[in-house]
Coordinates of all heavy atoms in Angstrom, one line a residue:
M1 N 111.5 57.9 -127.9 CA 110.4 58.2 -128.7 C 109.2 58.4 -127.8 O 109.0 57.7 -126.8 CB 110.0 57.0 -129.6 CG 109.1 57.3 -130.7 SD 108.8 55.8 -131.8 CE 107.2 55.3 -131.2
D2 N 108.4 59.4 -128.1 CA 107.2 59.7 -127.3 C 106.2 58.6 -127.5 O 106.1 58.0 -128.5 CB 106.6 61.0 -127.7 CG 107.5 62.2 -127.2 OD1 108.3 62.0 -126.3 OD2 107.4 63.3 -127.8
T3 N 105.4 58.4 -126.4 CA 104.3 57.4 -126.5 C 103.2 58.0 -127.4 O 102.8 59.1 -127.2 CB 103.8 57.1 -125.2 OG1 104.8 56.6 -124.3 CG2 102.7 56.0 -125.3
E4 N 102.8 57.2 -128.4 CA 101.6 57.6 -129.2 C 100.4 57.5 -128.3 O 100.2 56.6 -127.5 CB 101.5 56.8 -130.4 CG 102.7 56.9 -131.3 CD 102.5 55.9 -132.5 OE1 102.3 54.7 -132.3 OE2 102.5 56.4 -133.6
T5 N 99.4 58.4 -128.5 CA 98.2 58.4 -127.8 C 97.0 58.6 -128.7 O 97.0 59.5 -129.5 CB 98.2 59.5 -126.7 OG1 99.3 59.3 -125.9 CG2 96.9 59.4 -125.9
A6 N 96.0 57.8 -128.6 CA 94.8 57.9 -129.4 C 93.9 58.9 -128.7 O 93.9 59.1 -127.5 CB 94.1 56.6 -129.6
D7 N 93.0 59.5 -129.5 CA 91.9 60.3 -128.9 C 90.8 59.4 -128.4 O 90.5 58.4 -129.0 CB 91.3 61.2 -130.0 CG 92.3 62.3 -130.5 OD1 93.1 62.7 -129.6 OD2 92.2 62.7 -131.6
V8 N 90.3 59.8 -127.2 CA 89.3 59.0 -126.6 C 88.4 59.9 -125.8 O 88.8 61.0 -125.3 CB 89.8 57.9 -125.7 CG1 90.5 58.4 -124.5 CG2 88.8 56.9 -125.3
T9 N 87.1 59.6 -125.7 CA 86.1 60.5 -125.1 C 85.5 59.8 -123.8 O 85.1 58.7 -123.9 CB 85.0 60.8 -126.0 OG1 85.5 61.4 -127.2 CG2 84.0 61.9 -125.4
G10 N 85.6 60.5 -122.7 CA 84.9 60.0 -121.5 C 85.2 58.6 -121.0 O 84.4 57.9 -120.6
H11 N 86.5 58.3 -121.1 CA 87.0 57.0 -120.5 C 86.3 55.8 -121.2 O 86.2 54.7 -120.6 CB 86.7 56.9 -119.0 CG 87.4 58.0 -118.2 ND1 88.2 57.7 -117.1 CD2 87.3 59.3 -118.3 CE1 88.7 58.9 -116.6 NE2 88.1 59.9 -117.3
D12 N 85.9 56.0 -122.4 CA 85.1 54.9 -123.1 C 85.9 54.3 -124.2 O 86.2 55.0 -125.2 CB 83.8 55.5 -123.6 CG 82.9 54.5 -124.2 OD1 83.4 53.3 -124.4 OD2 81.8 54.8 -124.6
V13 N 86.3 53.1 -124.1 CA 87.2 52.5 -125.1 C 86.5 52.4 -126.5 O 87.2 52.4 -127.5 CB 87.6 51.0 -124.7 CG1 88.4 51.1 -123.4 CG2 86.5 50.1 -124.6
T14 N 85.2 52.5 -126.5 CA 84.6 52.4 -127.8 C 84.6 53.7 -128.6 O 84.2 53.8 -129.7 CB 83.1 51.9 -127.7 OG1 82.4 53.0 -127.0 CG2 83.0 50.6 -127.0
T15 N 85.1 54.7 -127.9 CA 85.2 56.0 -128.6 C 86.6 56.3 -129.1 O 86.9 57.5 -129.5 CB 84.7 57.2 -127.7 OG1 85.7 57.3 -126.6 CG2 83.4 56.9 -127.1
I16 N 87.5 55.4 -129.1 CA 88.8 55.6 -129.5 C 88.9 56.0 -131.0 O 88.2 55.4 -131.8 CB 89.7 54.3 -129.3 CG1 90.0 54.0 -127.9 CG2 91.0 54.4 -130.1 CD1 90.7 52.7 -127.6
T17 N 89.7 57.0 -131.2 CA 90.1 57.3 -132.6 C 91.6 56.9 -132.6 O 92.4 57.6 -132.1 CB 89.9 58.7 -133.0 OG1 88.5 59.0 -133.0 CG2 90.4 58.9 -134.5
C18 N 91.9 55.8 -133.3 CA 93.3 55.3 -133.3 C 94.2 56.3 -133.9 O 93.8 57.2 -134.6 CB 93.3 54.0 -134.1 SG 94.9 53.2 -134.1
V19 N 95.5 56.2 -133.5 CA 96.5 57.1 -134.1 C 96.4 57.1 -135.6 O 96.7 58.1 -136.3 CB 97.9 56.6 -133.6 CG1 99.0 57.5 -134.3 CG2 98.0 56.8 -132.1
C20 N 96.1 55.9 -136.2 CA 96.0 55.8 -137.7 C 94.7 56.4 -138.2 O 94.5 56.4 -139.4 CB 96.1 54.4 -138.1 SG 94.7 53.4 -137.8
G21 N 93.8 56.8 -137.3 CA 92.5 57.4 -137.8 C 91.3 56.4 -137.8 O 90.2 56.8 -138.0
N22 N 91.6 55.2 -137.5 CA 90.5 54.2 -137.5 C 89.6 54.4 -136.2 O 90.1 54.8 -135.2 CB 91.1 52.8 -137.4 CG 90.0 51.7 -137.5 OD1 88.9 51.9 -138.1 ND2 90.2 50.6 -136.8
T23 N 88.3 54.1 -136.4 CA 87.3 54.1 -135.3 C 86.5 52.9 -135.3 O 86.5 52.1 -136.3 CB 86.4 55.4 -135.4 OG1 85.6 55.2 -136.6 CG2 87.2 56.7 -135.4
V24 N 85.6 52.8 -134.3 CA 84.7 51.6 -134.2 C 83.8 51.6 -135.4 O 83.5 50.6 -136.0 CB 83.8 51.7 -132.9 CG1 82.6 50.8 -133.0 CG2 84.7 51.3 -131.7
S25 N 83.4 52.8 -135.9 CA 82.4 52.9 -137.0 C 83.1 52.9 -138.3 O 82.4 52.7 -139.4 CB 81.5 54.1 -136.8 OG 82.3 55.3 -136.8
R26 N 84.4 53.0 -138.4 CA 85.1 52.9 -139.7 C 85.5 51.4 -139.9 O 84.7 50.7 -140.5 CB 86.3 53.8 -139.7 CG 86.7 54.3 -141.1 CD 87.8 55.2 -141.2 NE 89.1 54.5 -141.2 CZ 90.3 55.1 -141.4 NH1 90.3 56.4 -141.6 NH2 91.4 54.4 -141.4
D27 N 86.7 51.0 -139.5 CA 87.1 49.6 -139.7 C 86.8 48.8 -138.5 O 87.1 47.6 -138.5 CB 88.6 49.6 -140.1 CG 88.8 50.2 -141.4 OD1 87.9 50.3 -142.3 OD2 90.0 50.7 -141.7
G28 N 86.4 49.4 -137.4 CA 86.1 48.6 -136.2 C 87.3 48.5 -135.3 O 88.5 48.6 -135.8
L29 N 87.0 48.2 -134.1 CA 88.1 47.9 -133.1 C 87.7 46.6 -132.4 O 86.5 46.3 -132.3 CB 88.2 49.1 -132.0 CG 88.6 50.4 -132.6 CD1 88.3 51.5 -131.6 CD2 90.0 50.5 -133.0
I30 N 88.7 45.8 -132.0 CA 88.4 44.5 -131.6 C 89.0 44.3 -130.2 O 90.1 44.7 -129.9 CB 89.1 43.4 -132.5 CG1 88.5 43.6 -133.9 CG2 88.8 42.0 -132.0 CD1 89.2 42.7 -135.0
Q31 N 88.2 43.7 -129.3 CA 88.7 43.3 -128.0 C 89.7 42.2 -128.1 O 89.5 41.2 -128.8 CB 87.5 42.9 -127.1 CG 86.6 44.1 -126.7 CD 85.5 43.7 -125.7 OE1 84.8 42.8 -126.1 NE2 85.4 44.3 -124.6
A32 N 90.8 42.4 -127.4 CA 91.9 41.5 -127.5 C 92.5 41.2 -126.1 O 92.2 41.8 -125.1 CB 93.0 42.1 -128.4
N33 N 93.4 40.2 -126.1 CA 94.0 39.8 -124.8 C 95.4 40.6 -124.7 O 95.7 41.4 -125.6 CB 94.2 38.3 -124.6 CG 95.1 37.7 -125.7 OD1 95.8 38.4 -126.4 ND2 95.1 36.4 -125.7
S34 N 96.1 40.2 -123.7 CA 97.4 41.0 -123.5 C 98.5 40.7 -124.5 O 99.5 41.3 -124.5 CB 97.9 40.6 -122.1 OG 98.1 39.2 -121.9
Q35 N 98.2 39.7 -125.4 CA 99.1 39.5 -126.5 C 98.6 40.2 -127.8 O 99.2 40.1 -128.9 CB 99.3 38.0 -126.8 CG 100.3 37.3 -125.9 CD 99.7 36.9 -124.6 OE1 98.6 36.3 -124.6 NE2 100.3 37.3 -123.5
G36 N 97.4 40.8 -127.7 CA 96.9 41.5 -128.9 C 96.1 40.5 -129.8 O 95.6 40.9 -130.8
V37 N 95.8 39.3 -129.3 CA 95.0 38.4 -130.0 C 93.5 38.6 -129.7 O 93.1 38.6 -128.5 CB 95.4 36.9 -129.6 CG1 94.5 35.9 -130.4 CG2 96.8 36.7 -129.9
P38 N 92.7 38.8 -130.7 CA 91.3 39.0 -130.5 C 90.7 37.9 -129.6 O 91.0 36.7 -129.8 CB 90.7 39.0 -131.9 CG 91.8 39.5 -132.7 CD 93.0 38.9 -132.1
V39 N 89.8 38.3 -128.7 CA 89.2 37.3 -127.8 C 87.8 37.0 -128.2 O 87.1 37.8 -128.9 CB 89.2 37.8 -126.3 CG1 90.6 38.0 -125.8 CG2 88.4 39.1 -126.2
Y40 N 87.3 35.9 -127.8 CA 85.9 35.5 -128.1 C 85.0 36.0 -127.0 O 85.2 35.6 -125.9 CB 85.8 33.9 -128.2 CG 84.4 33.4 -128.5 CD1 83.8 33.8 -129.7 CD2 83.8 32.6 -127.7 CE1 82.5 33.4 -130.0 CE2 82.5 32.1 -128.0 CZ 81.9 32.6 -129.1 OH 80.6 32.1 -129.4
A41 N 84.0 36.8 -127.4 CA 83.2 37.5 -126.4 C 81.9 36.7 -126.1 O 81.2 37.0 -125.2 CB 82.8 38.9 -126.9
G42 N 81.6 35.7 -126.9 CA 80.4 34.9 -126.7 C 80.4 34.1 -125.4 O 81.5 33.8 -124.9
A43 N 79.3 33.6 -125.0 CA 79.2 32.8 -123.8 C 78.7 31.4 -124.1 O 77.9 31.3 -125.0 CB 78.3 33.5 -122.7
N44 N 79.1 30.4 -123.4 CA 78.6 29.1 -123.5 C 78.6 28.5 -124.9 O 77.7 27.8 -125.2 CB 77.1 29.1 -122.9 CG 77.1 29.5 -121.5 OD1 78.0 29.2 -120.7 ND2 76.1 30.3 -121.1
A45 N 79.5 28.9 -125.6 CA 79.7 28.3 -127.0 C 81.1 27.8 -127.2 O 82.0 28.2 -126.4 CB 79.3 29.3 -128.0
S46 N 81.3 27.0 -128.2 CA 82.7 26.5 -128.4 C 83.4 27.7 -129.0 O 83.0 28.4 -129.9 CB 82.7 25.3 -129.3 OG 82.0 25.7 -130.5
I47 N 84.6 27.9 -128.5 CA 85.5 29.0 -129.0 C 86.1 28.6 -130.3 O 86.8 27.6 -130.4 CB 86.5 29.3 -127.9 CG1 85.9 29.7 -126.6 CG2 87.5 30.4 -128.4 CD1 86.8 29.9 -125.4
P48 N 86.0 29.5 -131.3 CA 86.7 29.2 -132.6 C 88.2 29.1 -132.3 O 88.7 29.9 -131.5 CB 86.4 30.5 -133.4 CG 85.1 31.0 -132.8 CD 85.1 30.7 -131.4
A49 N 88.8 28.2 -132.9 CA 90.2 27.9 -132.6 C 91.1 29.1 -132.8 O 92.1 29.2 -132.1 CB 90.7 26.7 -133.5
E50 N 90.7 30.0 -133.7 CA 91.6 31.1 -134.0 C 91.6 32.1 -132.9 O 92.5 32.9 -132.8 CB 91.2 31.8 -135.3 CG 91.3 30.9 -136.5 CD 90.1 30.0 -136.7 OE1 89.2 30.1 -135.9 OE2 90.0 29.3 -137.8
L51 N 90.5 32.2 -132.1 CA 90.3 33.2 -131.2 C 90.9 32.8 -129.8 O 90.8 31.7 -129.4 CB 88.9 33.6 -131.1 CG 88.3 34.3 -132.3 CD1 86.8 34.5 -132.1 CD2 89.0 35.6 -132.7
A52 N 91.3 33.9 -129.0 CA 91.7 33.6 -127.7 C 90.5 33.6 -126.7 O 89.5 34.1 -127.0 CB 92.7 34.7 -127.2
Q53 N 90.7 32.9 -125.6 CA 89.7 32.9 -124.6 C 89.6 34.2 -123.9 O 90.5 35.0 -123.8 CB 90.0 31.8 -123.5 CG 89.8 30.4 -124.0 CD 89.8 29.4 -122.9 OE1 90.6 29.6 -121.9 NE2 89.1 28.4 -123.0
W54 N 88.4 34.5 -123.4 CA 88.2 35.7 -122.6 C 89.1 35.7 -121.4 O 89.1 34.7 -120.7 CB 86.7 35.8 -122.2 CG 86.3 37.1 -121.6 CD1 86.3 37.5 -120.3 CD2 85.8 38.2 -122.4 NE1 85.9 38.8 -120.2 CE2 85.6 39.3 -121.4 CE3 85.6 38.5 -123.7 CZ2 85.1 40.5 -121.8 CZ3 85.1 39.7 -124.1 CH2 84.9 40.7 -123.2
P55 N 89.9 36.7 -121.2 CA 90.9 36.6 -120.1 C 90.2 36.5 -118.8 O 89.3 37.2 -118.4 CB 91.7 37.9 -120.2 CG 90.9 38.8 -121.1 CD 90.1 37.9 -122.0
A56 N 90.7 35.5 -118.0 CA 90.1 35.2 -116.7 C 90.2 36.4 -115.7 O 89.3 36.7 -114.9 CB 90.7 34.0 -116.0
D57 N 91.2 37.2 -115.9 CA 91.4 38.4 -115.0 C 90.7 39.6 -115.6 O 90.9 40.7 -115.1 CB 92.9 38.6 -114.8 CG 93.6 38.8 -116.1 OD1 93.0 38.8 -117.2 OD2 94.9 38.9 -116.0
E58 N 90.0 39.5 -116.7 CA 89.3 40.6 -117.3 C 90.2 41.7 -117.8 O 89.8 42.9 -117.9 CB 88.2 41.1 -116.4 CG 87.2 40.1 -115.9 CD 86.0 40.0 -116.8 OE1 85.5 41.0 -117.4 OE2 85.5 38.9 -117.0
D59 N 91.5 41.4 -118.0 CA 92.4 42.4 -118.4 C 92.4 42.5 -119.9 O 93.1 41.7 -120.6 CB 93.8 42.0 -117.9 CG 94.8 43.2 -118.1 OD1 94.4 44.3 -118.4 OD2 96.0 43.0 -118.0
L60 N 91.5 43.4 -120.4 CA 91.3 43.4 -121.8 C 92.0 44.6 -122.5 O 92.3 45.6 -121.9 CB 89.8 43.6 -122.1 CG 88.9 42.4 -121.8 CD1 87.4 42.8 -121.8 CD2 89.2 41.3 -122.9
Y61 N 92.2 44.3 -123.8 CA 92.9 45.3 -124.6 C 92.0 45.6 -125.8 O 91.2 44.8 -126.1 CB 94.3 44.8 -125.0 CG 95.3 44.7 -123.9 CD1 95.1 43.7 -122.9 CD2 96.3 45.6 -123.7 CE1 96.0 43.6 -121.9 CE2 97.2 45.5 -122.7 CZ 97.1 44.5 -121.7 OH 97.9 44.5 -120.7
T62 N 92.3 46.7 -126.5 CA 91.6 47.0 -127.7 C 92.5 47.1 -128.9 O 93.5 47.8 -128.9 CB 90.8 48.3 -127.5 OG1 89.8 48.2 -126.5 CG2 90.1 48.7 -128.8
L63 N 92.3 46.2 -129.9 CA 93.2 46.1 -131.0 C 92.6 46.9 -132.2 O 91.4 46.8 -132.5 CB 93.3 44.6 -131.4 CG 93.9 44.4 -132.8 CD1 95.4 44.7 -132.8 CD2 93.7 42.9 -133.2
C64 N 93.4 47.7 -132.8 CA 93.0 48.3 -134.1 C 93.5 47.4 -135.2 O 94.6 47.2 -135.4 CB 93.7 49.7 -134.2 SG 93.5 50.4 -135.9
P65 N 92.5 46.8 -135.9 CA 92.8 45.8 -136.9 C 93.4 46.5 -138.2 O 93.9 45.8 -139.1 CB 91.5 45.2 -137.3 CG 90.5 46.2 -136.9 CD 91.0 47.0 -135.8
S66 N 93.4 47.8 -138.2 CA 94.0 48.5 -139.4 C 95.5 48.6 -139.3 O 96.2 48.4 -140.3 CB 93.4 49.9 -139.6 OG 92.0 49.8 -139.8
C67 N 96.0 49.0 -138.1 CA 97.4 49.3 -138.0 C 98.1 48.4 -137.0 O 99.3 48.4 -136.9 CB 97.6 50.7 -137.6 SG 97.0 51.2 -136.0
G68 N 97.3 47.7 -136.1 CA 97.9 46.8 -135.2 C 98.3 47.4 -133.8 O 98.9 46.8 -133.0
R69 N 97.9 48.7 -133.7 CA 98.2 49.3 -132.4 C 97.2 48.7 -131.3 O 96.0 48.5 -131.7 CB 98.0 50.8 -132.4 CG 99.2 51.5 -133.1 CD 99.0 53.0 -133.2 NE 100.1 53.7 -133.8 CZ 100.2 53.9 -135.1 NH1 99.3 53.5 -135.9 NH2 101.3 54.6 -135.6
V70 N 97.6 48.5 -130.1 CA 96.8 47.9 -129.1 C 96.8 48.9 -127.9 O 97.8 49.4 -127.5 CB 97.4 46.6 -128.7 CG1 96.5 45.9 -127.6 CG2 97.5 45.6 -129.9
Y71 N 95.6 49.1 -127.3 CA 95.4 49.9 -126.2 C 94.9 49.1 -125.0 O 94.1 48.1 -125.2 CB 94.3 51.0 -126.5 CG 94.7 51.8 -127.8 CD1 94.3 51.4 -129.0 CD2 95.5 52.9 -127.6 CE1 94.7 52.1 -130.2 CE2 95.9 53.6 -128.8 CZ 95.5 53.2 -130.0 OH 95.9 53.9 -131.1
R72 N 95.3 49.5 -123.8 CA 94.8 48.7 -122.6 C 93.6 49.4 -122.1 O 93.6 50.5 -121.6 CB 95.9 48.7 -121.6 CG 95.7 47.7 -120.5 CD 96.8 47.6 -119.5 NE 96.6 46.5 -118.6 CZ 97.5 46.2 -117.6 NH1 98.6 46.9 -117.5 NH2 97.2 45.2 -116.8
D73 N 92.5 48.6 -122.0 CA 91.2 49.1 -121.6 C 91.2 49.7 -120.2 O 90.6 50.8 -120.0 CB 90.1 48.0 -121.6 CG 89.8 47.6 -123.0 OD1 90.5 48.0 -124.0 OD2 88.8 46.9 -123.2
S74 N 91.9 49.0 -119.3 CA 91.9 49.5 -117.9 C 92.6 50.9 -117.8 O 92.2 51.7 -117.0 CB 92.6 48.5 -117.0 OG 94.0 48.4 -117.3
V75 N 93.6 51.2 -118.6 CA 94.2 52.5 -118.6 C 93.3 53.6 -119.1 O 93.2 54.6 -118.5 CB 95.5 52.5 -119.5 CG1 96.1 53.9 -119.6 CG2 96.6 51.5 -118.9
I76 N 92.5 53.2 -120.1 CA 91.6 54.2 -120.7 C 90.5 54.5 -119.7 O 90.1 55.6 -119.5 CB 91.0 53.6 -122.0 CG1 92.1 53.5 -123.1 CG2 89.8 54.5 -122.5 CD1 91.8 52.6 -124.2
E77 N 90.0 53.4 -119.1 CA 88.9 53.6 -118.1 C 89.3 54.4 -116.9 O 88.5 55.1 -116.3 CB 88.3 52.2 -117.7 CG 87.5 51.6 -118.9 CD 87.4 50.1 -118.8 OE1 87.8 49.5 -117.8 OE2 86.8 49.5 -119.8
E78 N 90.6 54.2 -116.5 CA 91.0 54.9 -115.3 C 91.5 56.3 -115.6 O 91.3 57.2 -114.7 CB 92.2 54.1 -114.6 CG 91.7 52.9 -113.9 CD 92.8 51.9 -113.5 OE1 94.0 52.4 -113.5 OE2 92.6 50.7 -113.3
T79 N 92.1 56.5 -116.7 CA 92.8 57.8 -116.9 C 92.1 58.7 -118.0 O 92.3 59.9 -118.0 CB 94.2 57.6 -117.4 OG1 94.2 57.0 -118.7 CG2 95.0 56.7 -116.4
G80 N 91.2 58.1 -118.8 CA 90.6 58.8 -119.9 C 91.6 59.2 -121.0 O 91.2 60.0 -121.9
T81 N 92.7 58.6 -121.0 CA 93.7 58.7 -122.1 C 93.9 57.3 -122.7 O 93.7 56.3 -122.0 CB 95.0 59.3 -121.6 OG1 95.7 58.5 -120.7 CG2 94.8 60.7 -121.0
A82 N 94.4 57.3 -123.9 CA 94.6 56.0 -124.6 C 96.0 55.9 -125.2 O 96.2 56.0 -126.4 CB 93.6 55.9 -125.7
P83 N 97.0 55.8 -124.3 CA 98.4 55.6 -124.9 C 98.5 54.2 -125.6 O 97.8 53.2 -125.2 CB 99.3 55.6 -123.6 CG 98.4 55.2 -122.5 CD 97.0 55.7 -122.9
V84 N 99.3 54.1 -126.6 CA 99.5 52.8 -127.3 C 100.2 51.9 -126.3 O 101.3 52.3 -125.9 CB 100.2 53.0 -128.6 CG1 100.5 51.7 -129.3 CG2 99.4 53.9 -129.6
A85 N 99.7 50.7 -126.0 CA 100.3 49.8 -125.1 C 101.4 49.1 -125.8 O 102.6 48.9 -125.3 CB 99.3 48.8 -124.5
F86 N 101.1 48.6 -127.0 CA 102.1 47.9 -127.8 C 101.5 47.8 -129.2 O 100.4 48.2 -129.5 CB 102.5 46.5 -127.3 CG 101.4 45.6 -127.1 CD1 101.1 44.6 -128.0 CD2 100.7 45.6 -125.9 CE1 100.0 43.7 -127.9 CE2 99.6 44.7 -125.7 CZ 99.3 43.8 -126.7
R87 N 102.3 47.2 -130.1 CA 101.8 47.0 -131.5 C 102.1 45.6 -132.0 O 103.1 45.0 -131.7 CB 102.5 48.1 -132.4 CG 101.9 48.3 -133.7 CD 102.4 49.6 -134.4 NE 101.8 49.7 -135.7 CZ 102.0 50.7 -136.5 NH1 102.8 51.7 -136.2 NH2 101.4 50.7 -137.7
V88 N 101.1 45.1 -132.7 CA 101.3 43.8 -133.3 C 101.2 43.9 -134.8 O 100.8 44.9 -135.4 CB 100.2 42.8 -132.8 CG1 100.3 42.6 -131.3 CG2 98.8 43.3 -133.1
D89 N 101.7 42.8 -135.5 CA 101.6 42.7 -136.9 C 100.3 42.1 -137.3 O 100.1 40.8 -137.1 CB 102.8 42.0 -137.5 CG 102.9 42.1 -139.0 OD1 101.8 42.4 -139.6 OD2 103.9 41.8 -139.6
V90 N 99.3 42.8 -137.8 CA 98.0 42.2 -138.1 C 98.0 41.4 -139.4 O 97.0 40.9 -139.8 CB 96.9 43.4 -138.2 CG1 96.7 44.0 -136.9 CG2 97.3 44.4 -139.3
T91 N 99.1 41.4 -140.1 CA 99.1 40.7 -141.4 C 99.6 39.2 -141.2 O 99.6 38.5 -142.2 CB 100.0 41.4 -142.4 OG1 101.4 41.4 -141.9 CG2 99.6 42.8 -142.6
V92 N 100.1 38.9 -140.1 CA 100.6 37.5 -139.9 C 99.8 36.8 -138.8 O 99.2 37.4 -137.9 CB 102.1 37.5 -139.5 CG1 102.9 38.1 -140.6 CG2 102.3 38.2 -138.2
S93 N 99.7 35.5 -138.9 CA 99.0 34.7 -137.9 C 99.8 34.6 -136.6 O 101.1 34.7 -136.7 CB 98.8 33.3 -138.5 OG 97.9 33.4 -139.6
P94 N 99.2 34.4 -135.5 CA 97.8 34.1 -135.3 C 96.9 35.3 -135.3 O 95.7 35.2 -135.4 CB 97.7 33.5 -133.9 CG 98.8 34.1 -133.2 CD 99.9 34.4 -134.2
I95 N 97.4 36.5 -135.3 CA 96.6 37.7 -135.3 C 95.7 37.8 -136.5 O 94.5 38.1 -136.4 CB 97.5 39.0 -135.1 CG1 98.5 38.9 -134.0 CG2 96.6 40.2 -135.0 CD1 98.0 39.2 -132.6
A96 N 96.3 37.6 -137.7 CA 95.5 37.8 -138.9 C 94.3 36.8 -139.0 O 93.2 37.2 -139.3 CB 96.4 37.6 -140.1
E97 N 94.6 35.6 -138.6 CA 93.5 34.6 -138.6 C 92.4 34.9 -137.6 O 91.2 34.7 -137.8 CB 94.1 33.2 -138.4 CG 94.7 32.6 -139.6 CD 95.2 31.2 -139.4 OE1 94.9 30.6 -138.3 OE2 95.8 30.7 -140.3
A98 N 92.9 35.4 -136.4 CA 91.9 35.7 -135.4 C 91.0 36.9 -135.8 O 89.8 36.9 -135.5 CB 92.7 36.0 -134.1
I99 N 91.6 37.9 -136.5 CA 90.8 39.0 -136.9 C 89.7 38.5 -137.9 O 88.6 38.9 -137.9 CB 91.7 40.1 -137.6 CG1 92.5 40.8 -136.5 CG2 90.8 41.1 -138.3 CD1 93.6 41.7 -137.0
R100 N 90.2 37.6 -138.8 CA 89.2 37.1 -139.8 C 88.1 36.3 -139.1 O 86.9 36.5 -139.4 CB 90.0 36.1 -140.8 CG 90.0 36.7 -142.2 CD 90.4 35.6 -143.2 NE 91.5 34.8 -142.8 CZ 92.8 35.1 -143.0 NH1 93.1 36.2 -143.5 NH2 93.7 34.3 -142.6
A101 N 88.5 35.5 -138.2 CA 87.5 34.7 -137.4 C 86.5 35.6 -136.7 O 85.3 35.4 -136.6 CB 88.2 33.8 -136.5
H102 N 87.1 36.7 -136.1 CA 86.2 37.7 -135.4 C 85.2 38.2 -136.3 O 84.0 38.3 -135.9 CB 87.1 38.8 -134.8 CG 86.3 39.9 -134.2 ND1 85.9 39.9 -132.9 CD2 85.9 41.1 -134.7 CE1 85.2 41.0 -132.7 NE2 85.2 41.7 -133.8
W103 N 85.6 38.7 -137.5 CA 84.6 39.3 -138.4 C 83.6 38.3 -138.9 O 82.5 38.6 -139.2 CB 85.3 40.0 -139.5 CG 86.1 41.2 -139.1 CD1 87.4 41.5 -139.5 CD2 85.7 42.3 -138.2 NE1 87.8 42.7 -138.9 CE2 86.8 43.2 -138.1 CE3 84.6 42.6 -137.5 CZ2 86.8 44.4 -137.4 CZ3 84.5 43.8 -136.7 CH2 85.6 44.6 -136.7
N104 N 84.1 37.0 -139.1 CA 83.2 36.0 -139.6 C 82.0 35.8 -138.6 O 80.9 35.5 -138.9 CB 83.9 34.7 -139.8 CG 84.7 34.7 -141.1 OD1 84.5 35.5 -141.9 ND2 85.6 33.8 -141.1
L105 N 82.4 35.9 -137.3 CA 81.4 35.7 -136.2 C 80.4 36.8 -136.2 O 79.2 36.6 -135.9 CB 82.0 35.6 -134.9 CG 82.8 34.3 -134.5 CD1 83.5 34.4 -133.2 CD2 81.8 33.1 -134.5
S106 N 80.8 38.0 -136.4 CA 80.0 39.2 -136.2 C 79.3 39.7 -137.4 O 78.6 40.7 -137.4 CB 80.8 40.3 -135.5 OG 82.0 40.6 -136.3
T107 N 79.4 39.0 -138.5 CA 78.7 39.4 -139.7 C 77.7 38.3 -140.2 O 77.8 37.2 -139.7 CB 79.7 39.7 -140.9 OG1 80.6 38.6 -141.0 CG2 80.4 41.0 -140.6
Ligands
LIG201 ZN1 95.0 52.0 -136.0

């Protein structure tokens, strides 16, 4: 199977148009860790239990909460392309709970 690739502009992960059509301004995209679990981006606060810690190696991924496709930020920044790194099931925990917690924090 060919690797699916999202549209992206100028090596910028925030400009991804997911294979499913989702964008930052539509359903949003979430920073995640290498397991696809949304990470907590805040500093010096207690991390909600549902969210993953900011990865110490800064190896970040971008999760599409609509379809569960995950993109690796470093690949996008280096190559300007956005191949799908892997896919998670956004309807089951811990991913589902982490997505909920993420939106609770940002709204
Ligand atoms: Zn998607």
Side-chain angles (χ1 to χ4, degrees):
M1 198 180 101
D2 290 337
T3 303
E4 296 177 304
T5 304
D7 290 329
V8 65
T9 306
H11 300 237
D12 183 352
V13 297
T14 64
T15 66
I16 288 175
T17 299
C18 184
V19 175
C20 75
N22 182 33
T23 63
V24 165
S25 57
R26 206 178 85 171
D27 294 334
L29 297 165
I30 302 175
Q31 287 181 306
N33 66 12
S34 58
Q35 279 83 51
V37 180
V39 297
Y40 179 60
N44 301 324
S46 57
I47 299 172
E50 297 86 355
L51 294 176
Q53 286 191 328
W54 194 266
D57 57 4
E58 304 270 325
D59 190 12
L60 285 169
Y61 292 73
T62 296
L63 166 70
C64 171
S66 297
C67 67
R69 286 180 177 86
V70 181
Y71 305 91
R72 190 173 188 182
D73 289 13
S74 61
V75 171
I76 295 163
E77 287 158 5
E78 283 167 22
T79 68
T81 63
V84 177
F86 58 94
R87 197 167 176 176
V88 296
D89 188 343
V90 294
T91 64
V92 297
S93 294
I95 308 277
E97 282 186 4
I99 290 172
R100 246 194 319 275
H102 171 84
W103 295 133
N104 283 343
L105 284 175
S106 51
T107 51

